[in-house]
Amino acid sequence: MEIDLSPQLAKKVYESNGGSYHAWSPSELPMLPEGNIGAAKLALQKNGFALPCYSDSSKVAYVLQGSGVAGIVLPESEEKVVAIKKGDALALPFGVITWWYNKEDTELVVLFLGDTSKAHKTGEFTDFYLTGSNGIFTGFSTEFVGRAWDLEEKDVKTLVGKQSGKIIVKLEGNINLPEPKEEHRKGMALNCEEAPLDVDIKNGGRVVVLNTKNLPLVGEVGLGADLVRLDGNAMCSPGFSCDSAFQVTYIVRGSGRAQVVGADGCRVLETTVKAGNLFIVPRFFVVSKIADSDGLEWFSIITTPK
C-alpha cells in the first residue's frame, strides 16, 4: 500500500472576528479519501457564534478547549441546548442542525471527525448554512421565500439581504440565545475526562471508550471513539482493529513516537507526533505509540460503532 501516512496539521479555511474554521485537506492527507473520513476544527473567540448549519456527513464532535453552548436539532425532534466544556464528546448523525456559541474569554475549540462516504466530496465535509450571506435562502427568489413564510417582499429583502456575516460571526449588544438545560445533556454529550474509565493502568495510562451504551447516538453516526491518556514514557501496545475499521487519531496534548506496521512486517510509518497532529491507520495495520516524558493524550474514532 503506497500511501503517505504522515501526521498533518489542519489548515485555516475561514476566519472572522468571531473565530475561525480549520480543516485537513485530502490532498495533504490522502488517507482521508481512502478511508472516507473528514476532519475539521472550529475555534470561537469570546461571543463568537457559528451559524446554524447541517452537514453532508455524520460526525463525532470533541471539545478540545474552553466551554460554551451547542444548539442541536435532530430530525423530527425539538432543539436541544447543551452546555459544553473541555472533554465533552457529542455524536452528530445525518440531518442534525447545529450552532455553537462561546461567551467566555477562553477560546472554544471543537474537533469534528466523521464519515464522508455519502458526502459530496470524499474526505471533506460540506456544510449547508441556514442563515448568513451564504445561507440556503439567499439562493431562492423573494417570491419563493415570501410564500414559504407568508411574508411581504420588503420583509423578505430585509430578512435575506441584510445578513452580511457568514459561517462565524461575533454577536454584539444584548445577546438573547436559548439557555442550556441540564436534561438536554442526557444522551447528547459525554465528558470523556469525567466518565468511568474502561482501562486504568497505574503509571501507564487511562482509556475511556464511547459506545452505544454511554452515548447511544454513536450507533446512528456509525463511529466508535475513545480518549487515551498515557503517562510519561508509557506505551500503548501494538494493536489493530479486527473488524476492518480505519483508526483516526488526533493528538490532543503532549508528544511521543508512533510506529505503524503493514503487510509482510513492513514498517510503513515511524514518526514523532505532537498536539494538533492527525493521522489515520489503514485497515488491519498495527499501530503502537510511546509517550515522551510529558505524556501523550489522543482522541480517536474508528469507522465502526462497535
Side-chain angles (χ1 to χ4, degrees):
M1 183 179 184
E2 294 295 330
I3 194 164
D4 186 7
L5 303 180
S6 302
Q8 299 291 336
L9 297 169
K11 295 292 178 64
K12 187 181 297 180
V13 176
Y14 177 80
E15 185 175 29
S16 72
N17 62 350
S20 55
Y21 184 79
H22 309 248
W24 281 267
S25 167
S27 62
E28 296 183 359
L29 193 60
M31 280 302 299
L32 290 172
E34 178 75 20
N36 279 316
I37 295 155
K41 284 196 295 188
L42 172 69
L44 295 179
Q45 304 296 328
K46 183 174 183 178
N47 292 328
F49 181 70
L51 295 174
C53 71
Y54 60 91
S55 178
D56 63 355
S57 306
S58 56
K59 307 172 185 174
V60 172
Y62 182 71
V63 182
L64 296 168
Q65 176 183 301
S67 61
V69 179
I72 302 168
V73 185
L74 294 166
E76 300 180 3
S77 176
E78 67 171 6
E79 181 180 42
K80 307 281 189 182
V81 182
V82 181
I84 57 172
K85 64 179 181 179
K86 181 178 179 291
D88 276 349
L90 302 92
L92 305 174
F94 277 117
V96 67
I97 294 171
T98 61
W99 54 261
W100 309 81
Y101 175 61
N102 178 22
K103 63 180 179 180
E104 305 297 338
D105 292 330
T106 302
E107 187 178 49
L108 172 65
V109 184
V110 184
L111 172 72
F112 300 97
L113 302 174
D115 173 18
T116 65
S117 59
K118 298 180 181 178
H120 285 271
K121 300 176 183 177
T122 303
E124 296 182 47
F125 300 137
T126 299
D127 295 324
F128 297 81
Y129 288 87
L130 274 62
T131 58
S133 61
N134 63 335
I136 55 176
F137 293 106
T138 62
F140 285 101
S141 67
T142 54
E143 178 194 2
F144 274 62
V145 177
R147 290 189 65 175
W149 282 311
D150 194 21
L151 294 173
E152 298 290 335
E153 184 175 0
K154 62 180 178 62
D155 296 324
V156 172
K157 289 181 177 178
T158 300
L159 176 68
V160 177
K162 293 290 181 70
Q163 299 186 40
S164 57
K166 66 176 184 179
I167 303 178
I168 301 168
V169 298
K170 188 170 185 176
L171 302 184
E172 308 282 358
N174 280 333
I175 301 168
N176 187 20
L177 289 175
E179 290 294 324
K181 297 182 179 179
E182 183 60 34
E183 61 267 26
H184 284 179
R185 273 188 67 89
K186 186 176 181 181
M188 296 299 303
L190 176 75
N191 191 278
C192 297
E193 296 183 354
E194 300 173 355
L197 297 172
D198 293 280
V199 177
D200 186 7
I201 306 298
K202 186 178 179 181
N203 299 322
R206 292 149 297 285
V207 181
V208 170
V209 178
L210 271 68
N211 51 43
T212 53
K213 292 181 180 178
N214 54 21
L215 194 61
L217 279 175
V218 298
E220 291 186 40
V221 172
L223 302 168
D226 60 20
L227 177 69
V228 181
R229 290 169 282 180
L230 289 186
D231 294 333
N233 301 313
M235 179 185 195
C236 185
S237 298
F240 72 99
S241 179
C242 61
D243 52 4
S244 76
F246 289 88
Q247 300 176 62
V248 187
T249 298
Y250 176 85
I251 306 300
V252 175
R253 181 191 61 81
S255 60
R257 293 174 290 145
Q259 292 185 355
V260 177
V261 174
D264 298 322
C266 293
R267 188 186 310 152
V268 294
L269 180 68
E270 181 170 12
T271 187
T272 58
V273 292
K274 60 182 180 180
N277 280 157
L278 183 85
F279 71 100
I280 301 169
V281 178
R283 291 186 177 105
F284 301 113
F285 281 38
V286 183
V287 60
S288 182
K289 308 177 191 76
I290 297 177
D292 288 339
S293 58
D294 58 346
L296 183 63
E297 178 178 334
W298 66 86
F299 183 80
S300 292
I301 65 165
I302 58 171
T303 54
T304 173
K306 299 178 183 178

